[in-house]
Amino acid sequence: MKTARNIAIIQGSIREGRLNDTITAWTRKQLEAQGFTVSVVDPADPQLLPIQTGDTDAVAHLQTLLAPADGYVVVTPEFNHSAPGQLKTLIDSIKAEWKAKPVGFVSYGGISGGLRAVEALRPVFAELHAMTLRDSVSFAMPWGKFDEQGQITDPQMRDGAEAAMAVFGDRLRWWVDALVAARAMEPYDKAAA
Ligand SMILES: Cc1cc2nc3c(=O)[nH]c(=O)nc-3n(C[C@H](O)[C@H](O)[C@H](O)COP(=O)(O)O)c2cc1C
């Protein structure tokens, strides 16, 4: 049974002044407390930003960041009832790294909590042979409910988010272990139609 479970968080917004940094910091802390080894992939990083125009060096850099991960957590806001375009472009820029690996979602937005972005991304990851987690963590109207350290200040939101994260972490661990074992038993590409 695998002990080190490497998770890459992918930030879903590159907007200046983005709330994403706060939600990502909270997510990272929660996953680390559950025993995951976590790295963060920031599409606004100058080395990754050129992915948006298909720069091959930037895409290769993304591959080196994502390939070692056993699973991914996408932290995404909702833009016009879907996921941000730059996140979709990042996802579209690579293929092999997603295959037969779990992808979980932490989302945020208005009353929807970003869930429409999550649902828009599910068929995208299915096409890429990734396994999306049914359970997610979502924040509806999160503005002003985090302090500067990324802690949730609203008790109701904190309790709900921590309960959702406990389930989410359990599911993520299960899928990481299951798919690590499955890929070791038989290369996924060989089995694919
Ligand atoms: C172009 C655009 C479209 C948006 N559309 C939605 C939407 O459909 N539903 C929603 O809940 N929030 C929507 N929002 C609000 C975002 O969820 C909110 O601004 C969020 O903080 C963006 O994430 P960020 O601060 O990390 O960039 C939209 C924001 C932008 C900029």
Side-chain angles (χ1 to χ4, degrees):
M1 184 56 68
K2 188 175 169 65
T3 48
R5 300 176 179 95
N6 296 308
I7 299 299
I9 293 179
I10 298 158
Q11 294 191 255
S13 171
I14 58 172
R15 244 175 27 90
E16 221 166 285
R18 62 190 176 185
L19 180 66
N20 197 285
D21 290 323
T22 301
I23 308 276
T24 293
W26 179 86
T27 302
R28 177 179 206 155
K29 209 173 275 184
Q30 293 285 318
L31 290 173
E32 285 177 344
Q34 294 182 5
F36 294 99
T37 302
V38 182
S39 61
V40 173
V41 174
D42 177 3
D45 183 307
Q47 275 188 284
L48 294 177
L49 203 49
I51 284 171
Q52 300 301 319
T53 53
D55 181 88
T56 51
D57 288 344
V59 171
H61 183 52
L62 178 67
Q63 286 171 316
T64 65
L65 297 178
L66 292 188
D70 301 311
Y72 306 105
V73 174
V74 177
V75 177
T76 185
E78 180 173 308
F79 281 4
N80 295 321
H81 293 201
S82 189
Q86 50 77 28
L87 172 61
K88 174 70 163 52
T89 299
L90 181 148
I91 293 166
D92 291 343
S93 71
I94 57 173
K95 270 189 175 171
E97 291 70 21
W98 305 121
K99 280 191 178 174
K101 289 187 182 174
V103 178
F105 300 101
V106 175
S107 66
Y108 56 99
I111 199 75
S112 70
L115 287 172
R116 290 174 291 214
V118 171
E119 296 310 316
L121 290 172
R122 287 189 191 283
V124 176
F125 280 113
E127 175 61 14
L128 290 163
H129 302 255
M131 175 66 218
T132 60
L133 270 59
R134 183 265 189 197
D135 298 278
S136 63
V137 180
S138 69
F139 293 97
M141 317 293 275
W143 302 283
K145 291 178 179 164
F146 287 80
D147 66 18
E148 282 170 10
Q149 283 73 47
Q151 305 291 329
I152 303 170
T153 52
D154 179 279
Q156 204 180 341
M157 178 171 277
R158 185 183 57 230
D159 292 351
E162 288 180 359
M165 185 48 94
V167 175
F168 180 85
D170 277 349
R171 303 289 194 229
L172 186 59
R173 190 178 307 109
W174 194 95
W175 278 109
V176 162
D177 290 351
L179 294 180
V180 163
R183 291 195 306 273
M185 208 151 48
E186 183 177 1
Y188 177 78
D189 271 337
K190 203 167 142 246

